[in-house]
Amino acid sequence: MHDLAQNIMDNLIPFFDLFILALNIFSIVVLIWGVIMAGIDFLKSERTDRNRIVMARQNNFIKSFLGSYILLSLEILIAADIIESIIKPTFQDILKLAILVVIRTVISYFLHKEIEDALKDKENEIEEKKDPKQN
């Protein structure tokens, strides 16, 4: 029975290697897409004539938007590393995975705070437009 399981795993390893490679490439594509979208938003934002405070708020929102793509890209990398550490468990893979999880957790924490602040700023901006007498 052990030989059968080992034989199946040996036959599946090339498939998993390709899947890991595909996940790594997909992670890069997600990251590049996020950079492109944030760049487009930044260029659109810079073309408008607004005061610097509104532009700074918009830049913070764009930064949070880009951060969400970075975080998604890291999540995909972590998934690929989990699969790799399952099929080829080495200490180096496990250490790399642990470091990635720590980095992802720290980025996620601060990104969540920034997104909350950006949403609050956006809500305040909408409220100011609705009722400018309130402030």
Side-chain angles (χ1 to χ4, degrees):
M1 185 68 172
H2 176 64
D3 290 336
L4 177 64
Q6 187 63 38
N7 194 15
I8 291 172
M9 274 305 289
D10 289 343
N11 289 330
L12 288 177
I13 285 177
F15 168 76
F16 286 126
D17 285 338
L18 284 174
F19 189 66
I20 291 167
L21 177 63
L23 285 176
N24 286 327
I25 291 170
F26 184 60
S27 171
I28 292 168
V29 168
V30 167
L31 187 60
I32 290 171
W33 182 255
V35 168
I36 290 169
M37 296 302 293
I40 290 169
D41 286 347
F42 174 75
L43 292 174
K44 284 180 184 177
S45 173
E46 287 296 312
R47 288 180 36 159
T48 60
D49 291 328
R50 292 180 287 173
N51 68 39
R52 298 314 260 170
I53 293 172
V54 173
M55 290 180 78
R57 285 181 185 166
Q58 182 66 24
N59 285 345
N60 281 336
F61 188 74
I62 293 168
K63 184 175 74 171
S64 297
F65 175 77
L66 176 59
S68 68
Y69 276 92
I70 292 170
L71 190 58
L72 178 59
S73 180
L74 274 174
E75 293 284 351
I76 295 167
L77 283 176
I78 289 171
D81 285 339
I82 289 171
I83 294 168
E84 188 172 21
S85 65
I86 289 171
I87 64 171
K88 300 177 201 169
T90 65
F91 181 74
Q92 185 178 359
D93 289 335
I94 293 170
L95 184 62
K96 185 171 109 176
L97 181 62
I99 290 169
L100 273 174
V101 168
V102 168
I103 290 169
R104 180 244 170 246
T105 303
V106 170
I107 289 174
S108 178
Y109 174 77
F110 288 108
L111 179 63
H112 181 70
K113 289 190 103 25
E114 284 189 24
I115 289 173
E116 282 181 349
D117 291 343
L119 289 175
K120 285 179 187 174
D121 286 345
K122 203 66 151 169
E123 287 174 3
N124 289 340
E125 189 178 314
I126 291 170
E127 288 296 319
E128 287 173 5
K129 287 180 181 178
K130 284 183 181 177
D131 191 11
K133 295 177 186 176
Q134 194 175 27
N135 293 330

